[in-house]
Amino acid sequence: MKKTLLTSLILATSATLAALPLTATLAAEVPAGVKLAKVQELVRGNGAEPASLDPQKIEGSPGSRIAKDLFEGLVSQDANGNIIPAVAESWEASSDNKVFTFKLRKDARWSNGEPVTAHDFVYAFQRAVDPKLASPYAWYMQIPGIVNADAIIDGKKTPDALGVAALDDHTFQVTLNKSIPFFAKLLAHQTTFPAPRKTIQKYGETWTKPGHMVSNGAYVLKSWVVNERIVLERNTQYWNNAKTVLDKVSYLPIESENSELSRYRAGEVEMTNGSTPIPLEHFKKLQKEIPDEIRVSPQIGTYYYEFNNRRAPFSDARVRKALSYTINREAIANFIVGQGEKPTYSFTPDNVNSFVKPDLNWENLSYDQRVESARTLLSEAGYDKSNPLEVTMLYNTSDAHKKVAIAIAQMWKKALGVKVTLENQEWKTFLDTRREGRFDVSRAGWIGDYNEASTMLSLLMTENGNNYARWSNSEYDNLLNKAMTVADESHRAELYQLAEQLIAEEMPVAPVYQYVTGRLVKSYVGGYPMNNPEDNVLAKDLYIMAH
């Protein structure tokens, strides 16, 4: 017996899903009576310069945002974050939720006019796990347990052994080792987007340059001036081009929130980054001056600090807990970022579908009580005023990250006498430093790749390539592996609670606050998705109103 898309998703989430026909797809829906501007162009702030635009090599929001305009996967998301068909018109799961079969639309085409086929998805999935590519998201294929993904990544099997197949040009099938009822939710992520084999084989690492790149999304890459701007233009070959309104979208890499705000006020930017908050010193004033341009919405994401669990003394859980306990989360959320961010003691945000936060003992202590416990823990680990702990704290270039880092450093010094050295690096270097484990404590943040607790908790599994804390706990791994196969949501929630308890006991990371998306958007930009909890703002869904 086969279960349809809707059945599979109902198993995966308790949220009520709109009954969509399998051919329905979100695009720019311009309300009746709205007059469109003659020039349909948008300029967006993008934070940092992306390290890559290769879907299988992207790491972080700066590249992910652009990739989702250039490429399209099997599924996409609507304005509320629900999974909807994209290149796949429909799909079905086997009764044990181990085999997923996708029927591809026949009008999907690459920007060079060639058809997008199931073979392009086979190639992309195999690329993602190929050790030769060294994708920072190879682990993403391990999380659902795609057959042979582990062995391929470990170099024990070749990429063609991966559990994916093109049954014909328009039928793509994925086979999993374990039952994953919510598997379809994982496929709106860029790592699973199709890849143009001929172009990649022709140009090698330069295939993502303007003039070389072939893409299948609503836009094509027009120009890329490093550290200045990336410009995308309409892809006339896109299957739903008739419903796309924006003709051009430009992404500007502006790391300073204050600089971005100045350029927004000057009309040089029409939508700010959103990954980092609007500077607090300006936020309240902006609420009074341009309230209709401030967009703040909940997000599946956590701002945290990660400890290098393999470097002494941070390999000692007592040291990690002492440092975490003395972070005053309420002060940071309310007075440093201050745009609705919620102080958090669990790694998983409480707005994730079907997640029920456990009652964590340390969360119920007052800040003074936590400081007292922290001093005891640090003393037991051998640190006091005569032998103070020394910490180098790493963060990437950003006014907001700098403010949080300074505040935490002061908290540690006041409460524990810790000597903190702040180290700032630009985005690409920052990623390399964390990946190579050359840090003591680092600022970090994680935005969920799909709306289910494993999108957060799997990050701390031993096999996860983005587990830069380098924490390894077999009990935790077993809990997550078991939880993700459970169809009953209440049972799955119980297992996730146990996982959160283990994080609190070991403290490999220190959660600080739950993200919100806070950005400025010009009032004439229509189609903005206020309720997408993963902050997927696709250019094809937007339009510019006459103003």
Side-chain angles (χ1 to χ4, degrees):
M1 293 291 291
K2 296 281 189 178
K3 288 179 287 189
T4 63
L5 155 68
L6 197 57
T7 305
S8 297
L9 290 181
I10 288 172
L11 280 173
T13 175
S14 60
T16 302
L17 295 176
L20 284 167
L22 291 183
T23 54
T25 300
L26 182 72
E29 299 290 348
V30 183
V34 169
K35 185 177 180 181
L36 294 174
K38 291 182 179 180
V39 177
Q40 289 293 320
E41 299 179 359
L42 176 70
V43 181
R44 296 185 59 170
N46 197 40
E49 176 75 18
S52 175
L53 291 182
D54 182 330
Q56 278 78 51
K57 294 181 75 172
I58 286 170
E59 182 178 17
S61 299
S64 175
R65 288 193 195 96
I66 300 172
K68 288 174 181 176
D69 283 342
L70 291 170
F71 297 88
E72 185 171 78
L74 294 163
V75 303
S76 187
Q77 290 184 350
D78 66 13
N80 296 312
N82 297 313
I83 291 298
I84 56 174
V87 175
E89 288 186 317
S90 64
W91 58 96
E92 58 187 17
S94 59
S95 58
D96 60 1
N97 286 307
K98 288 184 178 181
V99 180
F100 288 76
T101 306
F102 300 84
K103 288 292 183 180
L104 310 191
R105 59 178 65 257
K106 295 181 179 179
D107 55 351
R109 298 196 173 276
W110 291 102
S111 53
N112 62 5
E114 294 182 0
V116 177
T117 70
H119 303 282
D120 297 318
F121 283 94
V122 169
Y123 176 60
F125 277 52
Q126 290 175 347
R127 267 189 103 223
V129 296
D130 190 340
K132 292 180 182 177
L133 186 72
S135 169
Y137 259 80
W139 59 268
Y140 198 75
M141 300 302 192
Q142 293 176 282
I143 296 305
I146 297 179
V147 167
N148 290 328
D150 291 352
I152 296 167
I153 291 170
D154 291 341
K156 297 176 181 177
K157 290 191 176 183
T158 55
D160 59 4
L162 190 67
V164 294
L167 303 187
D168 56 47
D169 282 353
H170 297 97
T171 309
F172 176 64
Q173 191 171 82
V174 183
T175 304
L176 311 177
N177 286 317
K178 53 190 177 184
S179 172
I180 301 291
F182 55 87
F183 177 66
K185 287 189 173 187
L186 278 68
L187 302 177
H189 192 272
Q190 70 271 357
T191 304
T192 68
F193 289 177
R197 182 197 290 265
K198 292 179 184 177
T199 301
I200 294 171
Q201 291 177 339
K202 180 178 180 179
Y203 294 109
E205 292 186 0
T206 68
W207 81 272
T208 55
K209 287 187 175 182
H212 292 182
M213 179 182 278
V214 171
S215 58
N216 76 314
Y219 295 86
V220 294
L221 180 63
K222 179 65 175 177
S223 64
W224 184 353
V225 181
V226 175
N227 292 323
E228 187 175 322
R229 75 173 55 214
I230 292 175
V231 179
L232 313 184
E233 291 185 350
R234 285 267 288 275
N235 176 10
T236 57
Q237 297 291 333
Y238 179 55
W239 67 268
N240 206 19
N241 182 50
K243 296 201 72 175
T244 305
V245 178
L246 285 182
D247 293 318
K248 183 167 78 172
V249 55
S250 300
Y251 284 89
L252 309 188
I254 310 170
E255 292 188 324
S256 166
E257 291 82 15
N258 285 305
S259 295
E260 185 181 51
L261 177 58
S262 296
R263 296 184 71 171
Y264 180 87
R265 285 185 173 278
E268 299 174 14
V269 173
E270 295 162 301
M271 182 185 296
T272 59
N273 173 25
S275 290
T276 50
I278 301 166
L280 183 60
E281 60 267 30
H282 302 292
F283 185 68
K284 291 185 178 179
K285 184 179 180 182
L286 291 169
Q287 282 181 311
K288 295 178 181 178
E289 293 178 352
I290 49 172
D292 61 329
E293 296 181 31
I294 295 177
R295 312 292 174 91
V296 177
S297 53
Q299 193 173 11
I300 297 173
T302 299
Y303 190 102
Y304 62 99
Y305 270 78
E306 59 194 359
F307 303 108
N308 190 338
N309 285 242
R310 293 186 186 173
R311 175 181 285 188
F314 311 100
S315 51
D316 188 331
R318 295 171 299 184
V319 173
R320 301 194 299 263
K321 291 170 78 171
L323 293 173
S324 182
Y325 282 12
T326 45
I327 297 174
N328 189 330
R329 291 153 173 81
E330 287 73 19
I332 291 171
N334 296 329
F335 304 116
I336 295 180
V337 287
Q339 292 170 35
E341 291 85 353
K342 185 176 180 179
T344 190
Y345 298 82
S346 64
F347 191 60
T348 307
D350 53 20
N351 62 343
V352 171
N353 275 354
S354 306
F355 175 69
V356 181
K357 189 182 74 65
D359 186 23
L360 302 173
N361 292 334
W362 71 291
E363 178 182 4
N364 298 319
L365 300 175
S366 68
Y367 181 68
D368 288 342
Q369 289 173 321
R370 291 203 298 272
V371 168
E372 185 178 346
S373 294
R375 287 172 177 165
T376 300
L377 287 165
L378 208 57
S379 176
E380 290 175 356
Y383 295 94
D384 54 28
K385 290 182 179 179
S386 62
N387 181 35
L389 176 67
E390 297 185 11
V391 177
T392 298
M393 181 187 290
L394 177 68
Y395 67 95
N396 59 295
T397 303
S398 157
D399 300 327
H401 298 331
K402 181 178 181 180
K403 289 176 184 176
V404 174
I406 289 172
I408 291 177
Q410 291 174 341
M411 292 170 188
W412 287 349
K413 181 179 180 180
K414 182 179 179 180
L416 303 171
V418 175
K419 294 182 178 179
V420 181
T421 301
L422 298 181
E423 182 178 356
N424 163 238
Q425 294 179 349
E426 59 86 23
W427 180 245
K428 293 180 185 179
T429 305
F430 172 76
L431 287 177
D432 288 340
T433 301
R434 292 172 65 213
R435 191 181 299 117
E436 294 165 10
R438 294 183 285 105
F439 69 93
D440 289 345
V441 181
S442 175
R443 170 265 152 189
W446 191 254
I447 306 299
D449 295 313
Y450 50 96
N451 195 348
E452 209 272 343
S454 61
T455 194
M456 300 297 300
L457 295 170
S458 64
L459 186 69
L460 297 177
M461 294 176 73
T462 302
E463 66 188 16
N464 194 307
N466 279 16
N467 178 3
Y468 296 141
R470 288 164 173 75
W471 181 55
S472 180
N473 184 298
S474 58
E475 183 182 356
Y476 183 88
D477 292 346
N478 291 336
L479 273 173
L480 263 292
N481 282 323
K482 181 179 179 181
M484 289 188 288
T485 67
V486 172
D488 180 74
E489 287 186 344
S490 60
H491 184 202
R492 201 188 315 160
E494 291 173 359
L495 295 173
Y496 287 149
Q497 285 182 331
L498 293 174
E500 285 284 358
Q501 293 281 6
L502 274 177
I503 294 173
E505 291 170 15
E506 292 281 323
M507 207 68 75
V509 298
V512 180
Y513 61 80
Q514 294 175 21
Y515 276 116
V516 294
T517 300
R519 62 163 52 95
L520 294 168
V521 183
K522 295 295 184 182
S523 56
Y524 53 78
V525 177
Y528 184 83
M530 278 295 295
N531 297 313
N532 188 300
E534 294 175 54
D535 192 34
N536 281 323
V537 183
L538 307 180
K540 72 181 180 67
D541 302 333
L542 306 175
Y543 52 90
I544 305 297
M545 295 177 280
H547 58 281

